Amino acid sequence: MCLAIPALLLELRAGDQALVDLGGIRKPISVALLPDAQVGDYVIVHVGHAIGRIDAEEAQRTLALFAEMARLEPQA
Amino acid sequence: MCLAIPALLLELRAGDQALVDLGGIRKPISVALLPDAQVGDYVIVHVGHAIGRIDAEEAQRTLALFAEMARLEPQA
Amino acid sequence: MSVIKKDYSRPLDIRHGRVDMGHGAGGRAAAQLIEEVFLAAFDNEFLRQGDDGAVFTPPPLPPGARLVMATDGHVVSPLFFPGGDVGCLSVHGTLNDVAMSGATPLYLTASFVLEEGFALMDLKRIVDSMAAAARAAGVPIITGDTKVVERGKGDGVFISTTGLGVVAPGVAIAGRNARPGDVVLLSGSIGEHGVAVLSQRESLAFETAIVSDTAALHGLVAAMLAAAPGGVRVLRDPTRGGLATTLNELTRQSGVGMVLEEAAIPVLPEVDGACELLGLDPLYIANEGKLIAVCAPEAADSVLAAMQAHPLGRAAARIGEVCADPHHFVQMNTRFGGRRVVDWLSGEQLPRIC
Amino acid sequence: MSVIKKDYSRPLDIRHGRVDMGHGAGGRAAAQLIEEVFLAAFDNEFLRQGDDGAVFTPPPLPPGARLVMATDGHVVSPLFFPGGDVGCLSVHGTLNDVAMSGATPLYLTASFVLEEGFALMDLKRIVDSMAAAARAAGVPIITGDTKVVERGKGDGVFISTTGLGVVAPGVAIAGRNARPGDVVLLSGSIGEHGVAVLSQRESLAFETAIVSDTAALHGLVAAMLAAAPGGVRVLRDPTRGGLATTLNELTRQSGVGMVLEEAAIPVLPEVDGACELLGLDPLYIANEGKLIAVCAPEAADSVLAAMQAHPLGRAAARIGEVCADPHHFVQMNTRFGGRRVVDWLSGEQLPRIC
Amino acid sequence: MKYIEEFRDGALARRIAARLAQEVRPGRRYSFMEFCGGHTHAISRYGIAELLPASVTMVHGPGCPVCVLPIGRIDLAIQLALERGAIVCSYGDTLRVPASGGLSMIKAKARGADIRMVYSAADALGVARQNPQREVVFFAIGFETTTPPTALVIRDAEREGLQNFSVLCCHVLTPSAITHILESPEVRRYGTVPIDGFIGPAHVSIVIGSEPYEHFAQEYQKPVVIAGFEPLDVMQAVLMLVSQVNEGRAEVENEFTRAVSPEGNLKAQALVSEVFELRRSFEWRGLGEVPYSALQIRPAYARFDAEQRFALDYRPVADNKACECGAILRGVKKPTDCKIFGTVCTPENPVGSCMVSSEGACAAHYSYGRFRDIPVVAA
Amino acid sequence: MKYIEEFRDGALARRIAARLAQEVRPGRRYSFMEFCGGHTHAISRYGIAELLPASVTMVHGPGCPVCVLPIGRIDLAIQLALERGAIVCSYGDTLRVPASGGLSMIKAKARGADIRMVYSAADALGVARQNPQREVVFFAIGFETTTPPTALVIRDAEREGLQNFSVLCCHVLTPSAITHILESPEVRRYGTVPIDGFIGPAHVSIVIGSEPYEHFAQEYQKPVVIAGFEPLDVMQAVLMLVSQVNEGRAEVENEFTRAVSPEGNLKAQALVSEVFELRRSFEWRGLGEVPYSALQIRPAYARFDAEQRFALDYRPVADNKACECGAILRGVKKPTDCKIFGTVCTPENPVGSCMVSSEGACAAHYSYGRFRDIPVVAA
Ligand code: SF4
Ligand code: SF4
Ligand SMILES: [Mg+2]
Ligand SMILES: [Mg+2]
Ligand SMILES: [Mg+2]
Ligand SMILES: [Mg+2]
Ligand SMILES: [Mg+2]
Ligand SMILES: [Mg+2]
Ligand SMILES: [Mg+2]
Ligand SMILES: [Mg+2]
Ligand SMILES: [Mg+2]
Ligand SMILES: [Mg+2]
């Protein structure tokens, strides 16, 4: 439920607005719910609002966990 | 100016309305401006209202006048 | 546990259903609408191909034969009127444009723009009427397209049809062919279609026994061409703009003038009545089952006789003559004894008070 | 005293003027609109005939040659979008349907439904774009029709076009021809047209460098047919409903199934981005310059090579295979390693929150 | 159609024409003004001019309600629709009258104004009933013929207590216009417009009767023949006028006795005076401000008066410089005297109001009569 | 696309699958409920089921805001548009949910209702600003993820003093729904729905944080793993759940640490509690009336509450008899247990709400998974 997607915050604008980029698509969104959003953040966009952000380190950690899995030899 | 046309009053209806016929066309009109209009009258219809009626005798007289003219031999 | 039935789908609820945006989105609903409404009515081998175009083998074309294409959009309001509806109109309107080249129509295509909310029942009625008209004319509707626009961005249904026909060798009919001395024939009384449609406009509402003259004219045309090979020079159906406008088109195309006899132009009394009432002129009222023919003088009588012998030309008349005129005026000797210009329609013909 | 100038009329005020009801009434205003906008742009010998249909001599048809007709209504909103407009779209959309029979398109017809109040400037821009597209494709627009509907009963302009083409002897392409074992080719990346149009919708407004892929595909088709005579069995352009819906149409028509490889289907990152943002699936997004070809397995490589050598097929790819399947399912091996059904579009594809 | 076709008989017309030819005095010229556009239209449409002796000239009068509508009035209607969001209802012929800024009501409609053509004033009332949340204004034009139906809808709206309906009243009066012409310097002082008599209004007279014309006949010594709008009526009226001139009479005669009585339609007159009162002054296209020449809504019905309801401010707007409508409406010039007749100004693109209604002198001549105009210049 | 594609890597998926295959205990069955439709959708769309060991069963939960909307609520929205003339704005997926009388919002639109799809709650506010003379109602649905934007527009409307805007609030709460399922007789008493653990919400948790789940884990001794909606997230979460079960743990674990913190988005939470308060009871499709499971607008914002503004009267409406949505939303049945699945009920003609959103269990299975269903019967 609740389609939401991480997008790169490109630009902060007046009135709690911001511009995000997703694969080359740019869309104005609201950051009223994430007042400390910064340019360069990957914010999580839901119905035109940033509701959260991606913690890059944690994302790395999760991916590392997967990669670790990949190093284990699968049993055929 | 003031397009108006004689039409046969076919039927009186409630609320000062009436039905007229013109060459087979039937149209509801208002007779509010001609309260004594009767079925069988040729009323003169302007913008959906009867504003007058044809005096059959006078019409006959006028036509007779034309006919009289017709009897005169035209000078070639 | 349920099972998956192959290709199962609930039939359309034609009685209560309405067109919605999904019917135009190209998915399953669109496919269903096409199958259960359009294909069901038009059914023929070309449509059953189910492709985006229809492939057919044309009849053998002898040397000198040509093809003709004509297209018309149909946007009448109201959609249903005495004597017809937008469906049969969309068949006749285009078949007639094909026939006006002296052609035998072969195939029709149809493109629909439906308004969201349009009752499926009305759509079916219209499509069935198209199918009946096409069948009666012997011309199949071989491919089509359906789009749906949002409510308030259409008007029920618009139908654009395109016809393909074949012109026999030796037939050379075109608007530019009229010459001074030629005779102008009209296939019947004018103004019925326009008056029938007007009578249904809410704001004008009047009752009349008049019905639209909508009809396919290619049969009549064939009879005329057969009656005097080479004698018919111009054919045109006086639709929008009426007889007056159509004749002006022709005088301009051919670079000639015309003189009409008002007394010779057939008009039903009801049409006259409606026109008097609304301040309109029957010469400018649309027809959908009439044609104008310009003939070589020597061919006029046999063409006229052939018209009068055909059910769609019984009231055909010789209404005037082509003359030389650098102004390309259409003039008319009035029944009253005067003469006047019969000009193009200007703007829309609006009911008037003065 | 003034004099009457022959045929004088004030030129249309294209810069400030708007379509009014008079332009559709068939009178002088209608004639002027046709002359100064349509005829000026499309100019060709057929239109100059000035008749209600266009007469032409078809090319010689060798035994076994057939004709094809296709028609499409074009109702895109907004009318102008990155990479195109309803004008060029209305040319490409129908030419492509003609080309999908393996035909060489010969002629186009066009029927316009204009909304009262539509800016003449916009109309001219659209008509000029149509003319340019038709010229680039080498296919003249030979006859047409214009209707005007009241404000609020249309949406600027709707254009229905019909195309006529000729199918060479020996070419047998139809949606019913796919057989198990056949290869499914796609001419390039999907979803650009739909995303370009969506990006202009006021309610969704996003910025993108994506432009519509609208293009005429008959040149590409000719190259493909030449590369492997008899090897192409099915052609179809995945327009409304997108690749997914079009493939479902084909499996149903041919009574087969298909298995696609998700990883092989080209999608631009921007299209992916827009789809993620709006909760859409690129498989269901409209294309206007792409085609699907189903080929005999032995012909697939040469057809694919011919596609990749053509400017409109550079990103062409082999995306799947036809299989036997009584359900006519289109299945897809996901990039992720699973398998799923790729179903028909149901309803409209609406942006979603979940 | 009874009482119509009998009055369009061409054979009879030729007899009257013959009689006219006998009646005119050799060497004498006759110049008559047909006040009404209805007569203008009949003359052009039936080709009556060809049937009249060469010595008889018909001068077109200002009796076309569409033609005399000044630009400023149309501007008000457009302003109500475009700026105030009102639904403006009007009779069909009004929609094409040129207004300021290249607009007309029909062009304003194409720009989004909610303008609706009605066949009857009662239809405008219907529109108001169906759109209770919108302001609905009936743009009321016309001479005395058309005024009673407007009075009726105002009275009905009042009885019903309709809250969203009003009338932009542009009703004008025939007698004032005739007086204005007779008082004009061209007629009185310079004699540049010789008027030997008038063909009096047909349908106006049904409502107001023939009595109001007695005044002119006596005061200005001009014969008046009230005539129907059918072509035989017109021919007969010309004949009657020629006789009066020949005999030195200046009387009001009634050719249209089948419909016009001396007193007119009293019920209609009563209703009009209940709802309307004289307006102190009103601008006519062509004639300028004419005192007491129009009607306004009485204070008792003020809330149905769009001018008051929307506090409208009338601004007169000059006609196009090239346009001779003014002079044509005063009988001073003919359509072909206008430099842009038939070139820049056509029914398709009317510059002046006389090119709009088919009763306008320019439109009537363009649509029906211009084949008589020579020379020809290739464009 | 960064943070998206990395989590859809098929090669990694096969590794996790292999690891899972090692991890499951022979002879033991594992049954996990994915609460969210987002997970349901990912499982179907990416074909995750095929990568899971046969002993792992995924049970679909009620976490699709469209699926749990009861008929009566849609009826209210349609009533506002069709009977009260309001413009009703809603998110796209809501438009196709079946309502009473064979209607849905999209069918009501075809019947003349002014219903507009919006992408964002803020767009609904824009519609209200552009249509000051119309009532504009935002039909607000969604779980905790979607509630803060609604709170924001209500606050903004209040600040602007908008007079024509209101919200029909249907926002529901995740924890109450989970509790309701855990308390259901099928889970607690009969054990007909064996649930060994939950995949916890992804985006809801961004807003509310991971803390609210501690309660279930402790109270009901069920492991919860909060997971993202990408397919690798789901696989990893299943692996983590299997480990907890094997180890006898019942903890809240967070696979989605890249976006979810223990405390969530405090700003959003504060705004929501400023504007909304707990609703005493709310009907869910499938679950029936669930106490304190939804939000309503606080009295301070009452004029933006469509229920009060229009004095709406909620009437519950029974689902179609054949529809098993209720049982499916409670995890008791699977889509193919419904007699009309795939025949009478399809995404084209959804009978129940689970066939509407692509996150609905029935729609997800129909659109992506039904090729696995055998036998075949020719229609
Ligand atoms: S031709 Fe046109 S511009 Fe000239 S006087 Fe007549 S209406 Fe005015
Ligand atoms: S298949 Fe349809 S009717 Fe059956 S449970 Fe699912 S949504 Fe309800
Ligand atoms: Mg045509
Ligand atoms: Mg036609
Ligand atoms: Mg024609
Ligand atoms: Mg199509
Ligand atoms: Mg409509
Ligand atoms: Mg097509
Ligand atoms: Mg196409
Ligand atoms: Mg196609
Ligand atoms: Mg046409
Ligand atoms: Mg519109």
Side-chain angles (χ1 to χ4, degrees), chain D residues 14-41:
Chain D
I14 298 218
R15 190 179 295 268
H16 306 102
R18 284 167 191 260
V19 171
D20 64 40
M21 297 306 294
H23 288 120
R28 205 183 257 117
Q32 186 176 24
L33 185 75
I34 288 167
E35 238 174 75
E36 297 181 24
V37 176
F38 297 104
L39 205 57

Side-chain angles (χ1 to χ4, degrees), chain A residues 24-61:
Chain A
I25 293 286
R26 286 159 184 228
K27 181 160 177 60
I29 63 158
S30 161
V31 288
L33 297 170
L34 199 72
D36 57 346
Q38 297 297 323
V39 170
D41 283 355
Y42 277 83
V43 294
I44 299 174
V45 181
H46 174 62
V47 297
H49 292 77
I51 55 165
R53 72 165 69 68
I54 294 285
D55 180 321
E57 274 176 36
E58 287 294 342
Q60 219 29 69
R61 217 188 313 273

Side-chain angles (χ1 to χ4, degrees), chain E residues 22-341:
Chain E
Q22 293 174 313
E23 194 73 19
V24 290
R25 303 259 162 92
R28 172 114 172 61
R29 296 205 57 83
Y30 302 82
S31 183
F32 303 122
M33 174 176 272
E34 86 272 5
F35 179 80
C36 279
H39 293 125
T40 306
H41 182 250
I43 290 168
S44 297
R45 174 169 176 172
Y46 294 98
I48 290 177
E50 306 202 328
L51 297 171
L52 297 181
S55 57
V56 173
T57 304
M58 299 306 298
V59 177
H60 309 309
C64 162
V66 165
C67 303
V68 298
L69 256 185
I71 291 178
R73 285 263 144 192
I74 312 272
D75 285 354
L76 288 182
I78 291 176
Q79 181 191 324
L80 283 174
L82 273 184
E83 290 164 29
R84 314 288 283 267
I87 300 175
V88 175
C89 299
S90 188
Y91 295 126
D93 358 27
T94 319
L95 301 187
R96 293 172 52 233
V97 179
S100 297
L103 282 182
S104 63
M105 289 172 77
I106 217 164
K107 284 188 183 147
K109 179 165 172 270
R111 276 169 169 74
D114 194 342
I115 285 175
R116 310 203 184 166
M117 193 205 73
V118 289
Y119 172 75
S120 159
D123 297 339
L125 211 60
V127 171
R129 287 190 201 105
Q130 283 155 31
N131 295 274
Q133 77 297 355
R134 302 276 305 275
E135 284 288 329
V136 175
V137 179
F138 176 52
F139 185 60
I141 69 156
F143 283 91
E144 290 86 343
T145 328
T146 318
T147 310
T150 306
L152 205 56
V153 288
I154 293 177
R155 195 205 59 185
D156 286 353
E158 208 270 337
R159 286 190 182 167
E160 268 183 54
L162 264 190
Q163 297 299 322
N164 64 326
F165 179 74
S166 59
V167 169
L168 181 53
C169 176
C170 303
H171 285 298
V172 288
L173 299 170
T174 309
S176 341
I178 300 185
T179 309
H180 189 83
I181 285 169
L182 289 168
E183 291 285 356
S184 73
E186 290 93 347
V187 174
R188 274 181 90 91
R189 215 171 325 144
Y190 313 124
T192 42
V193 180
I195 295 184
D196 299 312
F198 285 93
I199 297 188
H203 298 148
V204 160
S205 306
I206 293 173
V207 172
I208 67 173
S210 59
E211 274 163 4
Y213 306 100
E214 298 288 351
H215 169 75
F216 314 108
Q218 284 161 23
E219 172 89 14
Y220 298 94
Q221 281 299 303
K222 301 284 183 196
V224 174
V225 176
I226 294 163
F229 284 149
E230 297 304 335
L232 286 187
D233 292 321
V234 178
M235 303 237 3
Q236 176 71 12
V238 172
L239 179 58
M240 289 164 79
L241 283 170
V242 167
S243 302
Q244 283 206 44
V245 169
N246 289 351
E247 294 162 22
R249 288 184 291 125
E251 292 165 15
V252 175
E253 290 183 314
N254 185 0
E255 184 276 338
F256 199 32
T257 49
R258 65 184 186 278
V260 172
S261 65
E263 71 283 2
N265 183 334
L266 296 174
K267 161 87 190 183
Q269 292 169 25
L271 191 69
V272 167
S273 55
E274 184 195 324
V275 174
F276 294 108
E277 62 187 13
L278 270 183
R279 205 186 269 264
R280 185 187 287 270
S281 177
F282 190 81
E283 191 192 356
W284 294 53
R285 205 181 292 223
L287 308 185
E289 285 287 337
V290 180
Y292 300 108
S293 64
L295 297 175
Q296 66 191 19
I297 295 169
R298 284 192 189 276
Y301 293 93
R303 68 194 173 98
F304 300 103
D305 185 345
E307 290 176 75
Q308 295 189 48
R309 191 181 182 96
F310 295 96
L312 296 180
D313 186 22
Y314 180 75
R315 287 157 193 263
V317 177
D319 280 341
N320 183 298
K321 269 190 192 151
C323 178
E324 299 283 9
C325 274
I328 290 169
L329 287 167
R330 291 195 310 276
V332 179
K333 294 196 171 177
K334 294 194 304 292
T336 48
D337 294 332
C338 172
K339 287 206 183 63
I340 59 175
F341 173 82

Side-chain angles (χ1 to χ4, degrees), chain C residues 29 44 96 131 136 155 275 290:
Chain C
N44 59 53
N96 290 349
D155 195 19
C275 287
K290 297 298 173 332

Side-chain angles (χ1 to χ4, degrees), chain D:
Chain D
M1 182 172 138
S2 172
V3 290
I4 302 292
K5 290 192 189 164
K6 201 181 127 201
D7 288 342
Y8 179 91
S9 75
R10 246 155 118 187
L12 272 182
D13 181 359
I14 298 218
R15 190 179 295 268
H16 306 102
R18 284 167 191 260
V19 171
D20 64 40
M21 297 306 294
H23 288 120
R28 205 183 257 117
Q32 186 176 24
L33 185 75
I34 288 167
E35 238 174 75
E36 297 181 24
V37 176
F38 297 104
L39 205 57
F42 299 152
D43 186 49
N44 60 55
E45 53 175 313
F46 309 100
L47 274 176
R48 277 193 303 267
Q49 293 170 2
D51 293 322
D52 284 353
V55 174
F56 54 88
T57 304
L61 297 176
R66 285 134 303 144
L67 295 176
V68 57
M69 287 179 89
T71 193
D72 255 345
H74 299 85
V75 300
V76 64
S77 168
L79 296 168
F80 301 94
F81 47 80
D85 55 66
V86 68
C88 62
L89 197 65
S90 72
V91 168
H92 298 151
T94 290
L95 285 183
N96 290 348
D97 280 344
V98 169
M100 294 307 121
S101 303
T104 306
L106 301 172
Y107 298 111
L108 280 172
T109 69
S111 159
F112 296 82
V113 176
L114 307 177
E115 185 184 9
E116 177 189 28
F118 190 55
L120 290 179
M121 193 76 145
D122 286 339
L123 179 61
K124 185 174 155 48
R125 214 176 127 198
I126 287 165
V127 168
D128 288 348
S129 161
M130 275 183 89
R135 214 153 276 147
V139 181
I141 295 166
I142 60 170
T143 190
D145 183 64
T146 308
K147 294 292 187 302
V148 178
V149 294
E150 269 194 293
R151 202 179 172 97
K153 301 197 161 176
D155 195 19
V157 56
F158 301 142
I159 309 177
S160 289
T161 48
T162 302
L164 178 76
V166 58
V167 185
V171 174
I173 289 172
R176 71 175 107 77
N177 290 351
R179 307 179 204 164
D182 283 356
V183 172
V184 183
L185 306 176
L186 172 66
S187 70
S189 55
I190 57 171
E192 284 127 65
H193 175 71
V195 168
V197 171
L198 273 183
S199 74
Q200 301 301 302
R201 293 265 165 87
E202 211 190 327
S203 56
L204 301 178
F206 52 85
E207 295 161 36
T208 166
I210 299 173
V211 297
S212 168
D213 61 343
T214 184
L217 296 168
H218 55 291
L220 174 61
V221 168
M224 291 163 67
L225 299 187
V232 179
R233 301 207 218 269
V234 180
L235 291 169
R236 187 70 50 93
D237 54 340
T239 54
R240 275 185 300 177
L243 181 66
T245 302
T246 307
L247 292 175
N248 273 281
E249 274 173 40
L250 297 180
T251 55
R252 191 169 69 161
Q253 272 184 273
S254 287
V256 297
M258 279 183 194
V259 180
L260 308 178
E261 292 302 323
E262 185 176 27
I265 300 172
V267 184
L268 297 184
E270 289 91 344
V271 169
D272 255 339
C275 287
E276 289 292 343
L277 207 57
L278 301 173
L280 304 176
D281 186 335
L283 293 173
Y284 294 91
I285 308 271
N287 310 280
E288 291 290 347
K290 297 297 173 334
L291 63 79
I292 300 159
V294 178
C295 301
E298 63 279 9
D301 286 338
S302 30
V303 174
L304 185 59
M307 290 167 85
Q308 289 167 342
H310 191 278
L312 293 174
R314 275 200 209 102
R318 173 195 293 248
I319 62 165
E321 228 175 72
V322 177
C323 62
D325 178 353
H327 281 99
H328 316 148
F329 282 141
V330 177
Q331 299 187 43
M332 183 165 80
N333 293 320
T334 67
R335 192 183 272 114
F336 188 71
R339 179 177 272 209
R340 64 154 163 125
V341 171
V342 173
D343 205 7
W344 294 75
L345 172 63
S346 67
E348 265 193 298
Q349 214 188 4
L350 297 173
R352 59 192 180 83
I353 63 158
C354 66

Side-chain angles (χ1 to χ4, degrees), chain B residues 1-2 33 46 51 55 58 65, chain E residues 38 143 146 203-204 258 359:
Chain B
M1 136 201 120
C2 317
L33 298 170
H46 174 62
I51 56 165
D55 179 322
E58 288 293 341
L65 199 75
Chain E
F143 283 91
T146 318
H203 298 148
V204 160
R258 65 184 186 278
E359 300 198 346

